[in-house]
Amino acid sequence: MCSESIAAAARLLKYSRRFCMREYTAMYCHNKKLTPNAKILRKNMTAEERRLWYGFLRTYRPRFLRQKVIGNYIVDFYCAEAKLVVELDGSQHFEETGIENDLKRNGFLSGLGCEVVRIPNNDVNRSFSAVCAYIDAAVRARLDTKL
């Protein structure tokens, strides 16, 4: 990783006390204060998150993590190898404040080199196989660009 990239990431993460760099994975800042919240969210997934996790992502390779802390955010699903974040959006994400918060969050994650894929909960319920195919295509596209 070049020094310019490290300096840019440091500027993005200046508010955080600690950040980690892992070879071949996204550079991110881990806010340990959010870890207990992430554990609670893992135990209390929404029906749509549960369906996507147990029906597809849990056995998908490359590996996905659920309720991953990145910076001051907890993302629904994260694939480090592809630097891909999958967010399932309920109705609150389509309100004005939800849209603003999502833009801010997307900007932060994009600054770390991650692509964010947002999927409405309704799509998981209505066309599960299409959602799975979409995520698979997004992972493959990210991995192809890394080669």
Side-chain angles (χ1 to χ4, degrees), residues 51-52 56 117 119 123-138:
R51 182 170 186 200
L52 186 59
F56 182 63
V117 172
I119 300 170
D123 288 355
V124 174
N125 294 326
R126 292 183 184 152
S127 51
F128 183 72
S129 59
V131 167
C132 296
Y134 178 67
I135 293 170
D136 182 56

Side-chain angles (χ1 to χ4, degrees), residues 33-90:
K33 292 179 182 177
L34 292 178
T35 302
N37 292 349
K39 287 181 180 180
I40 290 169
L41 290 171
R42 272 183 230 121
K43 290 180 181 179
N44 299 304
M45 290 189 291
T46 65
E48 293 80 11
E49 289 171 340
R50 196 175 304 108
R51 182 170 186 200
L52 186 59
W53 178 251
Y54 288 107
F56 182 63
L57 293 178
R58 186 175 71 152
T59 58
Y60 186 84
R61 295 295 175 253
R63 182 176 175 219
F64 271 85
L65 301 172
R66 60 190 168 130
Q67 306 305 334
K68 174 72 176 150
V69 177
I70 301 177
N72 288 324
Y73 301 102
I74 300 172
V75 300
D76 291 338
F77 302 101
Y78 175 66
C79 177
E81 190 174 333
K83 293 186 181 179
L84 183 73
V85 172
V86 176
E87 286 289 321
L88 298 185
D89 291 343

Side-chain angles (χ1 to χ4, degrees), residues 2 6 8 12 14 19 21 24 48 53 77-78 80-81 84 88 92 96-97 100 103 109-110 118-119 123 137 146:
C2 71
I6 293 171
L12 276 172
K14 67 183 179 184
F19 71 79
M21 288 182 290
Y24 307 113
E48 293 80 11
W53 178 251
F77 302 101
Y78 175 66
E81 190 174 333
L84 183 73
L88 298 185
Q92 72 275 15
E96 189 174 334
T97 56
E100 290 172 11
L103 287 173
L109 294 168
S110 294
R118 305 197 83 82
I119 300 170
D123 288 355
K146 290 174 85 175

Side-chain angles (χ1 to χ4, degrees), residues 1-11 21 27:
M1 188 173 271
C2 71
S3 60
E4 292 173 1
S5 297
I6 293 171
R11 283 192 298 277
M21 288 182 290
M27 183 176 14

